[in-house]
Amino acid sequence: MFDYEILKFIWWILVGALLIGFAITDGMDMGVGSLLPFVAKTDAERRVAINTVGPHWDGNQVWLITAGGAIFAAWPAVYAAAFSGFYMAMLLVLFALFFRPVGFDYRSKLDSPKWRNAWDWGLFAGGAIPALIFGVAFGNLLQGVPFRLDELLRAHYQGSFIFALLPLLNPFALLAGLISLGMLVAHGAVWLQLRASGAVAARSRALAVRLSPVIAVLFAVAGVWVWLGIDGYRIVSQPPLDAMPNPLNKQVVVASGALLDIYTTMPIAILAPIVGLLGPLLTALLAKVERPGFAFVTSAFGMAGIIGTAGLSMFPFVMPSSLDPNSSLTVWDATSSHLTLNVMFWAVIIFLPIVLAYTVWCYWRMWGRVTAEEIDARSHSAY
């Protein structure tokens, strides 16, 4: 059995890996949905685009469900506080995601152009809205969330429940939302260049070449913004790292430059923002020279770098409190018990390789470019 402190850190890595896995796999599907009305002009072209992700999207979305379950089991205090404060945002994401299964399954049930066009825009909403909201959520986490914990560790938020979304839409959070949306759309464009054919692949290539450098620029702007204008949180005192979790047993201060502490104490962490910057630039170059397979890999690394930069900059905080910094939730004091973390760890060790092997097998069996002729030949099973 691992030490409690080590298990807390392992689960921070595992939750981060789940979020990155979700961005790479289901983010690709969301990107394709966001692009559907723009890179595919005719019904045949849209069916080509949809069929590049249709067989896999539901399996990919399991990464999101698993990440939510892991947060609930490993960080119950974070799950409770986050789903309370971000309740309206989560509902908006949930309602947008409803369009995906219905859109994929119902779009081709009728030949009516109006029917199909309506579901195409539904798939657009199901991809673009969650991508934007996820980035906005990360932008708010970096700045701190206006909540406090009472003596019973219940989270209390500042502001109205009805207008709970408005404080989340601050300038830095919107920039983070644009980065999130942009990187998922570019990732979807590279996937379409790799798997689609004809005009859809050509338009997607052009979009990937233009959009990827924009992501790098926006990410750089966010980094400068953090460096110049956003205060972070720093722990002044806390119990031993293997102590039983109690978020109120520590002292936290707001400090200028605290979001950059990790890069001083652990210089190797600078690799994350470097990869986050270089990934989109290499993606644009590789997409331009018709190497979509390599471009997909560099796009995935770029997303991992961007998400990793956010996580590392906040470490050890998971959900800092701007209202009462001492109520902030960290890797060390918002976790489940030692036994729970240990049992879940071994479950991951056993089942994750099985899930990954099955996922790879599914992609391998259904690999190849999707063409309009292929869809017509198997119209009974194509989307």
Side-chain angles (χ1 to χ4, degrees):
M1 180 179 290
F2 288 103
D3 292 338
Y4 198 13
E5 175 185 343
I6 294 174
L7 276 172
K8 291 176 180 180
F9 182 68
I10 287 174
W11 272 100
W12 178 76
I13 295 175
L14 288 176
V15 171
L18 288 171
L19 293 175
I20 291 171
F22 162 69
I24 293 172
T25 56
D26 204 34
M28 167 188 74
D29 307 334
M30 291 181 177
V32 170
S34 302
L35 289 172
L36 189 60
F38 308 106
V39 300
K41 304 298 182 181
T42 66
D43 181 67
E45 290 179 352
R46 291 184 178 184
R47 293 191 72 191
V48 166
I50 289 172
N51 276 270
T52 64
V53 296
H56 308 292
W57 75 270
D58 46 356
N60 292 339
Q61 192 158 296
V62 171
W63 285 89
L64 175 62
I65 298 169
T66 306
I71 293 172
F72 171 76
W75 297 335
V78 174
Y79 185 93
F83 276 74
S84 297
F86 295 153
Y87 190 77
M88 296 301 293
M90 295 293 183
L91 279 181
L92 183 59
V93 168
L94 185 62
F95 291 152
L97 290 176
F98 286 162
F99 285 109
R100 300 182 73 204
V102 184
F104 281 120
D105 289 339
Y106 280 17
R107 181 191 183 276
S108 296
K109 298 298 184 184
L110 298 178
D111 291 330
S112 167
K114 290 184 178 180
W115 170 269
R116 295 189 172 188
N117 188 60
W119 286 118
D120 291 340
W121 284 103
L123 290 172
F124 164 80
I129 292 175
L132 180 67
I133 296 298
F134 290 144
V136 168
F138 264 98
N140 279 279
L141 287 175
L142 282 165
Q143 298 174 92
V145 183
F147 77 96
R148 64 174 180 84
L149 300 177
D150 64 18
E151 64 278 3
L152 297 178
L153 301 184
R154 295 174 300 189
H156 299 272
Y157 277 81
Q158 184 181 57
S160 167
F161 176 79
I162 302 288
F163 301 102
L165 274 176
L166 296 180
L168 302 180
L169 303 178
N170 56 78
F172 180 79
L174 289 174
L175 174 61
L178 289 177
I179 294 172
S180 174
L181 176 61
M183 70 182 189
L184 297 192
V185 169
H187 197 55
V190 173
W191 177 256
L192 286 175
Q193 182 187 4
L194 177 65
R195 292 293 312 280
S197 58
V200 175
R203 294 187 193 110
S204 299
R205 169 185 173 272
L207 192 145
V209 171
R210 295 189 183 100
L211 181 58
S212 295
V214 175
I215 301 167
V217 171
L218 292 176
F219 181 53
V221 170
V224 173
W225 196 334
V226 167
W227 179 41
L228 295 178
I230 296 183
D231 293 335
Y233 298 82
R234 188 175 291 150
I235 297 175
V236 176
S237 64
Q238 64 178 337
L241 301 184
D242 60 352
M244 289 299 294
N246 185 344
L248 296 179
N249 282 350
K250 65 178 180 298
Q251 184 178 357
V252 178
V253 296
V254 179
S256 176
L259 286 171
L260 304 177
D261 284 352
I262 188 71
Y263 305 106
T264 301
T265 59
M266 191 181 298
I268 195 174
I270 197 65
L271 289 176
I274 290 174
V275 172
L277 280 172
L278 292 182
L281 296 176
L282 289 173
T283 298
L285 177 61
L286 291 166
K288 185 175 183 179
V289 298
E290 296 286 358
R291 292 292 185 269
F294 289 111
F296 187 81
V297 173
T298 56
S299 176
F301 272 102
M303 290 194 294
I306 291 172
I307 297 171
T309 298
L312 286 167
S313 297
M314 291 173 58
F315 186 84
F317 294 92
V318 179
M319 191 173 175
S321 169
S322 59
L323 189 61
D324 175 23
N326 292 338
S327 295
S328 299
L329 303 174
T330 75
V331 172
W332 314 120
D333 60 23
T335 60
S336 292
S337 68
H338 190 181
L339 178 61
T340 300
L341 296 184
N342 191 64
V343 170
M344 291 195 306
F345 171 77
W346 289 111
V348 169
I349 293 299
I350 294 171
F351 291 107
L352 184 60
I354 298 173
V355 173
L356 290 176
Y358 176 72
T359 301
V360 171
W361 180 82
C362 289
Y363 275 95
W364 175 68
R365 291 295 299 173
M366 290 180 274
W367 193 253
R369 286 193 179 271
V370 180
T371 65
E373 293 76 18
E374 178 190 6
I375 292 173
D376 290 338
R378 55 181 182 89
S379 59
H380 64 285
S381 60
Y383 288 92

